[in-house]
Amino acid sequence: MTLETVSTSKAHGGTLEVYKHASAATGTEMTFSVFVPPQAQVGEGAKLPMLFYLSGLTCTHANVTDKGEYRRLCAELGLVFVAPDTSPRGEGVADDPAGAYDFGLGAGFYVNATQAPFAAHYRMWDYIAQELPALVAAHFPVDPARMGITGHSMGGHGALTLGLTFPETFKSLSAFAPIVAPGQVPWGHKALGGYLGEDKALWRAHDATALVEDGKRPAGAILIDQGEADSFLAEQLRPHLFAQACEKAGVDLTLRMQPGYDHSYNFISTFMDDHLRWHAERL
């Protein structure tokens, strides 16, 4: 598959690169960023571990790329960092009729939509689970047997559901302020209902809490950081629901409630190093 270079720049001895490509999964052009650390230049054939970062509502690849503060430590650890977009985009891609921020463009929720008009392009599940990992492995010096996944908010939801469903693919798992139980919160009701229909039994495959209840298990332990001053905590995020399910199922979860921190990239960048080290230790 051909990649079109959007930009490249040097950082911490490595390179930050942005690419476009035609996606078979979404039927649209997709954009992603990748940071390739300097270890890739040491000898031919070096294969490095890689971490996928899934962004939240309204975001693109650029949010974490610009504000995530991950490059220095990725360069130190020899970790490739890949940041995809949050939804398909372009002419003919359906959006929320009212232009709401929590559905449609920028809000793909990392599912394969089955409902018209979204089913035609909103196939972010296949894109993240299959197409993008294969694409990165084909074009960059990475070891496909050493892939981890993390994300923020809606992206944390995607990371948890993909990590629980494909533990053989994603060997390490973490999240920042994830939507852990979309079947029980307004954001999830709107997104899963709109993309998958009103049969709530079908939602369980895209609900991290339900997945654990239904027997899905990650490759290893899970790390979640959650700000206690997050304005979405009580209504939309509700990490205690996931913690209860993990405790009952014997899933090794570290849930860290961080006093004073909100939902922003100030929060994410503060704890990014901890998550990078978490994944590097397991990959």
Side-chain angles (χ1 to χ4, degrees):
M1 186 176 293
T2 302
L3 296 179
E4 177 187 344
T5 303
V6 176
S7 65
T8 64
S9 60
K10 190 167 183 176
H12 298 281
T15 56
L16 177 63
E17 308 167 12
V18 179
Y19 294 95
K20 293 180 180 179
H21 70 100
S23 168
T26 67
T28 67
E29 184 178 78
M30 296 295 292
T31 301
F32 68 94
S33 71
V34 56
F35 176 73
V36 181
Q39 288 84 348
Q41 309 301 322
V42 180
E44 295 184 5
K47 297 292 185 180
L48 303 177
M50 57 178 162
L51 178 63
F52 290 92
Y53 177 96
L54 307 185
S55 291
L57 291 166
T58 76
C59 293
T60 70
H61 72 282
N63 295 76
V64 69
T65 303
D66 294 343
K67 298 183 287 188
E69 299 181 18
Y70 58 85
R71 286 174 284 275
R72 177 194 56 79
L73 189 56
C74 282
E76 177 184 320
L77 297 172
L79 187 62
V80 175
F81 190 100
V82 180
D85 203 345
T86 51
S87 78
R89 301 177 194 270
E91 186 176 353
V93 177
D95 194 7
D96 184 275
Y101 76 94
D102 56 358
F103 189 76
L105 297 181
F109 263 82
Y110 305 101
V111 303
N112 285 344
T114 60
Q115 304 300 298
F118 303 98
H121 299 294
Y122 282 76
R123 304 190 62 81
M124 293 299 293
W125 181 264
D126 283 354
Y127 181 68
I128 301 298
Q130 300 172 16
E131 184 175 11
L132 188 58
L135 181 67
V136 173
H139 288 273
F140 299 93
V142 298
D143 182 354
R146 294 190 290 161
M147 294 194 301
I149 193 166
T150 187
H152 170 234
S153 193
M154 178 187 70
H157 142 77
L160 291 175
T161 55
L162 285 155
L164 286 165
T165 305
F166 303 107
E168 71 284 356
T169 300
F170 301 108
K171 303 296 178 57
S172 59
L173 178 58
S174 76
F176 300 87
I179 305 169
V180 300
Q184 302 183 55
V185 301
W187 275 343
H189 283 192
K190 181 175 183 178
L192 298 183
Y195 293 135
L196 303 178
E198 294 306 319
D199 183 354
K200 293 185 179 180
L202 300 177
W203 298 4
R204 296 185 69 83
H206 296 285
D207 182 313
T209 299
L211 284 169
V212 169
E213 292 172 347
D214 293 346
K216 294 294 186 181
R217 299 293 180 264
I222 303 172
L223 172 64
I224 291 177
D225 274 302
Q226 171 64 62
E228 290 186 350
D230 190 323
S231 60
F232 301 114
L233 175 58
E235 183 179 24
Q236 305 285 10
L237 305 178
R238 306 182 71 187
H240 67 280
L241 296 175
F242 188 62
Q244 290 168 357
C246 287
E247 182 177 11
K248 184 175 181 180
V251 173
D252 186 355
L253 169 67
T254 299
L255 172 60
R256 306 193 306 184
M257 301 300 297
Q258 303 292 358
Y261 285 91
D262 60 15
H263 201 68
S264 72
Y265 269 87
N266 294 324
F267 156 67
I268 298 166
S269 62
T270 298
F271 300 102
M272 180 63 81
D273 280 11
D274 291 351
H275 286 247
L276 295 177
R277 293 189 188 281
W278 171 274
H279 289 275
E281 288 170 3
R282 288 158 177 80
L283 298 174

